[in-house]
Amino acid sequence: MVMNMLFYSEYVLLMSIIWWNMNQKIENLLNVSLDATREELESSESLSTGFNWRDNTWEIIVRYTGNLENIKANYNVYVRELLFNYAIIVTDKATIELISQEPQIVYVEKPKSLYFQLERAKSAACASNVRVGQPGAYGYKNISRNINESISENTSGNIGSGQTGHGIGGIADNGIQYLSGKGVITAIIDTGIDIYSSEFRNADGSTRILDIYDQTLQREYSAADIDAFIGKDRNVYTGRDISQEENEEIPAFDNIQHGTNVAVIACGKSGVAYESDIIVVKMGYSYNNQFPRTTSLMDAIDYIIRKAMEYNRPVAINISYGMNYGDHNGNTLLESYINAAASGYKCSICIGSGNEADKAVHYGGTIKNAQTDTVEIAVGEYQSSIDIQIWKYYWDDIRVTLISPDGTERVIVTHGKISRYTLGGTNVISMSGEPSPYNLYQEIYINLQLQGSYITSGIWKIQLYGENVRQGTYNIWLPASVSLNRATGVIRPVAYDTITIPATAGGCISVGAYNSYTGAYAAFSGRGSALTDVLTAGIKPDILAPGVDISIRRDTRQGVVYTSVTGTSYATPFVTGAAALLMQWGIVMGNDRFMYGEKLKAYLRSGARQLDGVTQTPNPVTGYGALCVEDSIK
């Protein structure tokens, strides 16, 4: 009897191990995370994202059919239902297994951390209120609101010089009507917004912001709420004279000004869609770090679409976040949700392509039978953990060997199972996954964890050998560069396939950056796949906009401050504002009631202008060219 009980307990343990490794309704990374010990979770930011240390619960993303009523009734769960049959669920580890077996659950993923697409920023005080624009290769430094002028030719510098433009009904002296975004909503998903700024207020001082959803406080604010805060007597500029408690009371208080700067470009009164109404979502943070999660982004998009439906207005949504986890082919639940949202309502979702092209985070190649490729990855000192993703076609048999700096090696061979071992003084978790019912690519996942204080520094190697190869294409990604030590990265990185997720979603408008002073492509701007047929509609990025040394003006009690910002974070709002103008021209003014989604994207692509020296578009570097609203609505 004792032997039978021992056999049974061993059998249960074995079956639990097999389940964590083989549940194909659950993505690979979530399988690994659920199988991880608490110590392993503590050592890895990527594995622990979505885990709440306080109550040992997990936040997960599910795609489902029908409804979730039986799950709400039968399980101890918190459910946040999103549009288009997606949901965010919070529950414990054991319940995730049970939920995943329910017939209406299609697929389950864990949240991932998202990162700003900010390349660099600097501030300087200036004496005058207006900085005179300097002519460059692509024009002067002020945004033109003339629909017969190219926005891309007039955005090469200062934003926020304080001038106001003509409204939708405004007619200039030359008889030309101007677009302003009136009747359209511009939505900003970011770090918050400065509600006191004159950029976002009407002539009578009231706010142009319709609604704010502050995820950090889990609180909504109406326009009346915002006006009440504006009416209070306080330092409304930098917050230096305001206590931390007071700062936290201000709706969507933007302590780093990233969201405010983005909003100034997209919809400030001196920005592109300067008369559009505004909705703002201040992104919430992970339980375990300072970065927002993919679940926060999905929640934000859901909130905005529901509000736009309530107001019955078209909406242009701006997203300046990205990540590297996934096959970069549109197969994550976040990407499929964005596709559903983009096709499910009168909207345009504009997402920055990321700033990873000149970073050491990617390698890609093609391997043949009996060929060996060796990819070297430098790991700097004081690196506590690192994830390595290898994505390939499932039908290609490629032997993958991990080699530590001291030369010890391990072949990753077991499909669909999680392995743990020590290599070169570093703990390693690896998994050679299976394709899922929704993804034909195979992932080989490697997580290096500390054994002691940090993982072993030096040159790690990924050796690939083609055993039975049909196509041979493979890609290797590290996490976003901002999450790595400076000395950590791929030794010979490849700049292609560096567009960050979710800008890889087919339904969004992915925005790269160029230097509008010189007319040159920005080296940091994320690139699409070099293997994509340039004649297909799947080329990414879709379009470029100015994203180098954009100067944004801000009034403070100490005087006027100019912030010079660079990155696809700041290229994206030019396109978001342009999308609002096109929706105004089409939907609000009655020229084209279907000016949204893929049609709007097609118009922007059609009107884009080639950069100097570019001989063929579209291409995976410059996409379809530089933003030009004039040519998009001819």
Side-chain angles (χ1 to χ4, degrees), residues 383-431:
Q383 187 77 46
S384 58
S385 70
I386 187 171
D387 295 307
I388 303 169
Q389 308 166 64
I390 306 168
W391 290 88
K392 68 179 188 67
Y393 290 113
Y394 182 69
W395 47 85
D396 286 332
D397 291 331
I398 300 175
R399 185 171 72 238
V400 178
T401 304
L402 177 64
I403 305 173
S404 72
D406 67 5
T408 56
E409 60 184 57
R410 174 76 176 242
V411 177
I412 302 171
V413 292
T414 51
H415 284 202
K417 292 190 68 176
I418 300 169
S419 300
R420 288 176 171 81
Y421 43 91
T422 298
L423 199 65
T426 294
N427 293 330
V428 181
I429 303 174
S430 65
M431 179 178 185

Side-chain angles (χ1 to χ4, degrees), residues 254-532:
D254 188 5
N255 61 339
I256 64 173
Q257 291 294 305
H258 184 278
T260 299
N261 292 338
V262 165
V264 168
I265 298 171
C267 53
K269 75 176 182 182
S270 50
V272 182
Y274 60 95
E275 281 194 324
S276 67
D277 289 316
I278 304 167
I279 293 177
V280 175
V281 178
K282 180 177 180 178
M283 288 273 275
Y285 302 113
S286 171
Y287 301 117
N288 309 323
N289 60 42
Q290 71 272 33
F291 300 112
R293 309 176 305 283
T294 51
T295 42
S296 302
L297 179 56
M298 294 173 72
D299 180 46
I301 295 170
D302 181 83
Y303 176 84
I304 289 165
I305 296 293
R306 289 180 189 272
K307 281 293 182 181
M309 289 177 173
E310 180 183 321
Y311 292 116
N312 192 26
R313 296 189 197 175
V315 59
I317 301 175
N318 190 97
I319 299 171
S320 296
Y321 292 91
M323 65 165 184
N324 271 345
Y325 184 81
D327 61 18
H328 291 64
N329 279 299
N331 292 311
T332 68
L333 288 188
L334 172 61
E335 292 162 292
S336 63
Y337 176 73
I338 287 172
N339 291 339
S343 62
Y345 185 68
K346 298 176 292 185
C347 70
S348 175
I349 302 177
C350 303
I351 308 177
S353 66
N355 305 323
E356 303 289 71
D358 62 349
K359 311 301 188 301
V361 296
H362 170 258
Y363 185 87
T366 301
I367 197 168
K368 299 178 180 179
N369 281 321
Q371 176 183 332
T372 299
D373 283 1
T374 301
V375 181
E376 296 180 323
I377 299 172
V379 175
E381 294 182 341
Y382 313 116
Q383 187 77 46
S384 58
S385 70
I386 187 171
D387 295 307
I388 303 169
Q389 308 166 64
I390 306 168
W391 290 88
K392 68 179 188 67
Y393 290 113
Y394 182 69
W395 47 85
D396 286 332
D397 291 331
I398 300 175
R399 185 171 72 238
V400 178
T401 304
L402 177 64
I403 305 173
S404 72
D406 67 5
T408 56
E409 60 184 57
R410 174 76 176 242
V411 177
I412 302 171
V413 292
T414 51
H415 284 202
K417 292 190 68 176
I418 300 169
S419 300
R420 288 176 171 81
Y421 43 91
T422 298
L423 199 65
T426 294
N427 293 330
V428 181
I429 303 174
S430 65
M431 179 178 185
S432 180
E434 300 279 347
S436 76
Y438 319 103
N439 191 342
L440 53 79
Y441 299 98
Q442 180 184 21
E443 176 192 12
I444 299 168
Y445 173 81
I446 301 169
N447 179 258
L448 304 182
Q449 293 211 338
L450 55 84
Q451 188 185 61
S453 299
Y454 303 99
I455 62 178
T456 303
S457 60
I459 306 300
W460 289 76
K461 297 177 182 178
I462 306 290
Q463 189 177 84
L464 302 101
Y465 177 78
E467 294 186 328
N468 185 13
V469 176
R470 300 181 186 181
Q471 287 179 275
T473 303
Y474 67 90
N475 284 284
I476 300 174
W477 282 283
L478 302 184
S481 58
V482 296
S483 67
L484 300 173
N485 293 347
R486 287 184 177 272
T488 298
V490 178
I491 297 294
R492 294 184 298 277
V494 173
Y496 291 98
D497 290 291
T498 52
I499 292 180
T500 52
I501 298 168
T504 46
C508 79
I509 298 174
S510 58
V511 182
Y514 75 99
N515 187 327
S516 52
Y517 294 96
T518 64
Y521 168 80
F524 58 79
S525 186
R527 301 186 186 185
S529 174
L531 301 177
T532 303

Side-chain angles (χ1 to χ4, degrees), residues 529-609:
S529 174
L531 301 177
T532 303
D533 182 350
V534 296
L535 298 179
T536 70
I539 285 286
K540 293 285 185 177
D542 292 293
I543 202 161
L544 303 183
V548 177
D549 291 332
I550 306 298
S551 292
I552 299 177
R553 176 186 181 278
R554 184 162 62 97
D555 292 313
T556 73
R557 284 193 172 182
Q558 289 72 37
V560 175
V561 172
Y562 282 89
T563 300
S564 180
V565 293
T566 291
T568 57
S569 274
Y570 299 108
T572 307
F574 285 112
V575 179
T576 304
L581 298 188
L582 262 65
M583 285 192 280
Q584 178 195 4
W585 175 82
I587 299 172
V588 179
M589 297 174 67
N591 291 300
D592 190 332
R593 300 291 184 186
F594 303 98
M595 184 56 70
Y596 56 89
E598 292 297 281
K599 184 166 191 176
L600 190 151
K601 183 196 297 183
Y603 270 59
L604 287 179
R605 284 179 172 183
S606 176
R609 296 180 176 180

Side-chain angles (χ1 to χ4, degrees), residues 149-323:
E149 295 180 32
S150 163
I151 284 180
S152 69
E153 289 190 342
N154 293 274
T155 51
S156 55
N158 297 344
I159 306 300
S161 57
Q163 74 272 25
T164 57
H166 301 280
I168 182 174
I171 304 295
D173 293 340
N174 59 7
I176 296 174
Q177 190 171 23
Y178 289 83
L179 293 177
S180 63
K182 193 170 185 178
V184 178
I185 297 170
T186 302
I188 307 297
I189 302 174
D190 217 288
T191 61
I193 194 167
D194 180 1
I195 63 170
Y196 298 103
S197 171
S198 60
E199 291 286 338
F200 315 116
R201 293 165 70 175
N202 297 308
D204 63 1
S206 62
T207 187
R208 292 171 49 213
I209 303 171
L210 297 175
D211 296 279
I212 287 175
Y213 172 28
D214 190 332
Q215 292 180 340
T216 63
L217 302 176
Q218 285 297 298
R219 182 175 174 183
E220 296 181 43
Y221 300 87
S222 67
D225 295 329
I226 298 165
D227 281 335
F229 274 92
I230 291 174
K232 292 181 179 180
D233 182 20
R234 63 173 70 206
N235 179 346
V236 300
Y237 296 112
T238 64
R240 292 175 185 170
D241 301 329
I242 307 175
S243 69
Q244 181 63 32
E245 291 76 16
E246 288 179 306
N247 280 346
E248 291 175 354
E249 292 177 2
I250 298 173
F253 179 74
D254 188 5
N255 61 339
I256 64 173
Q257 291 294 305
H258 184 278
T260 299
N261 292 338
V262 165
V264 168
I265 298 171
C267 53
K269 75 176 182 182
S270 50
V272 182
Y274 60 95
E275 281 194 324
S276 67
D277 289 316
I278 304 167
I279 293 177
V280 175
V281 178
K282 180 177 180 178
M283 288 273 275
Y285 302 113
S286 171
Y287 301 117
N288 309 323
N289 60 42
Q290 71 272 33
F291 300 112
R293 309 176 305 283
T294 51
T295 42
S296 302
L297 179 56
M298 294 173 72
D299 180 46
I301 295 170
D302 181 83
Y303 176 84
I304 289 165
I305 296 293
R306 289 180 189 272
K307 281 293 182 181
M309 289 177 173
E310 180 183 321
Y311 292 116
N312 192 26
R313 296 189 197 175
V315 59
I317 301 175
N318 190 97
I319 299 171
S320 296
Y321 292 91
M323 65 165 184

